[in-house]
Amino acid sequence: MEEGFAIWANPSSPHAEGRKAKAALEDARERCKNALGWEGELIFTSGASEAAALALVHANAGARLVSLVEHDCILGTVPDAENLPMGRNGAPDLEILAEAVDRERPLVAVQHVNSETGTIQDYAQIAPIVAGASGLSLADCAQSAGKLAIPLLADMAILSAHKFGGPIGVGALLVKDFAMLKPSGGHERGYRRGTENLPDVMGMAAALENSDWATLPDERAAFLGKFDGMRQVIGEQVDYILPLMHPTMSAQALLIRLDAMGFAVSAGSACSSGSMKPSRVLQAFGLDADTARRTIRVSLGWNTTSEELDAFAAAWSSLG
């Protein structure tokens, strides 16, 4: 990022400084693609929300279909989209999906890794169904890029740099072919508005290349094992997002108690009109309202240490 600030100029400008910035931008683009194993195109954005909007609003597709457990940035962008229910084991109902895509080139959005439960979706099953109907598949990889291999079968994918240790305010939309999108601006080959954020783009490339998520696998496994019986197991899940249920305390009470102990967790519920409601995502995964109200989301960062894992386990035990 310091290098990017030192050479910053508008990469779209034709002068020497602009051409130098453009060269650094394109170098970072190729580095990101290589780190992800992506052979298609990459459009830099201000984060996952903008990437989602680019795909959902400008895709050359017909109906928009989204799973019921998508992030709010997906549902908020296309509030009139058709919702796909979840089937067994935390996966979309594939029979309903096959029926739903039987129309003129739909765009289907399904998270690769769910942000509340860590449930992994199997794109080896989802993508062929969508492709068989000449549709487009959009994978929200904000919770998986830099940690897991992204689903290369997807036609488009969303990422956010700060989720894998990069700077905030930068992300990308991966797209197999620009023909899948309608141009929407003067930058990024004409597919995005707004001057490119060169320093953050370079920071994002460096973070992807230096991702060390493979460290502490044994410690994470041991950590998860301490919560058997309290974990909400919903399909195949990653080892860095833990939906954790307390037998008696509400998610809000847990958040307050744990925050006082020095732990930043999030509640699996949202406040609406002054009343606490259980998470729509947890309920869509099949949890009853009472269980959802007592479930929090514990996520491990790229810089979480084994000592911090032990300290959290001890703090949880002290809650009674």
Side-chain angles (χ1 to χ4, degrees):
M1 289 179 66
E2 289 179 350
E3 181 183 349
F5 280 118
I7 64 172
W8 191 90
N10 190 332
S12 297
S13 297
H15 49 60
E17 288 81 0
R19 296 196 303 273
K20 184 176 181 180
K22 180 71 169 181
L25 181 77
E26 295 308 319
D27 176 67
R29 193 188 313 277
E30 291 305 311
R31 288 163 57 198
C32 287
K33 288 167 58 175
N34 290 338
L36 294 165
W38 185 256
E39 296 183 353
E41 308 293 346
L42 185 152
I43 301 169
F44 288 117
T45 68
S46 61
S49 294
E50 185 193 351
L54 277 177
L56 292 165
V57 175
H58 299 287
N60 282 313
R64 270 53 172 171
L65 312 177
V66 302
S67 86
L68 278 171
V69 297
E70 296 306 297
H71 191 276
D72 284 345
C73 77
I74 300 288
L75 298 181
T77 300
V78 284
D80 297 327
E82 181 175 336
N83 295 138
L84 299 171
M86 306 306 290
R88 297 179 179 178
N89 298 322
D93 188 308
L94 297 181
E95 291 185 4
I96 293 179
L97 175 62
E99 294 176 1
V101 297
D102 188 17
R103 65 187 76 192
E104 185 179 355
R105 205 185 199 200
L107 173 66
V108 179
V110 178
Q111 267 187 335
H112 184 209
V113 171
N114 187 266
S115 55
E116 287 194 36
T117 66
T119 303
I120 306 170
Q121 299 300 341
D122 185 359
Y123 262 82
Q125 290 188 312
I126 296 169
I129 293 174
V130 178
S134 299
L136 299 176
S137 54
L138 171 64
D140 180 355
C141 297
Q143 295 289 348
S144 59
K147 299 168 186 169
L148 304 179
I150 64 172
L152 300 179
L153 288 175
D155 294 301
M156 293 184 246
I158 297 164
L159 21 150
S160 181
H162 73 269
K163 295 295 185 181
F164 47 80
I168 59 173
V170 64
L173 174 65
L174 309 181
V175 56
K176 282 186 176 178
D177 192 310
F178 279 136
M180 295 176 176
L181 286 177
K182 300 171 186 175
S184 59
H187 297 276
E188 289 297 278
R189 274 92 162 167
Y191 289 89
R192 180 191 183 249
R193 296 177 182 177
T195 304
E196 293 95 342
N197 182 353
L198 179 62
D200 280 8
V201 161
M202 293 177 69
M204 175 176 165
L208 272 176
E209 290 175 332
N210 292 281
S211 176
D212 59 355
W213 192 249
T215 61
L216 297 182
D218 295 336
E219 288 86 345
R220 290 199 298 272
F223 175 73
L224 296 182
K226 294 178 181 180
F227 299 98
D228 289 343
M230 293 170 281
R231 294 172 55 197
Q232 297 301 319
V233 180
I234 304 171
E236 182 183 1
Q237 291 168 294
V238 296
D239 64 357
Y240 50 87
I241 297 176
L242 175 65
L244 195 57
M245 179 199 70
H246 194 275
T248 58
M249 295 179 64
S250 70
Q252 290 69 42
L254 290 167
L255 190 153
I256 293 169
R257 291 279 299 275
L258 290 168
D259 181 62
M261 297 179 190
F263 298 98
V265 299
S266 58
S269 58
C271 186
S272 176
S273 301
S275 62
M276 302 310 298
K277 295 183 178 180
S279 164
R280 62 166 179 81
V281 170
L282 295 179
Q283 289 188 294
F285 272 121
L287 272 67
D288 63 85
D290 179 62
T291 300
R293 287 190 180 95
R294 292 182 284 110
T295 299
I296 62 171
R297 172 185 181 268
V298 179
S299 58
L300 314 184
W302 61 273
N303 55 350
T304 301
T305 66
S306 58
E307 290 78 14
E308 288 168 336
L309 297 181
D310 291 339
F312 179 84
W316 179 269
S317 297
S318 73
L319 295 174

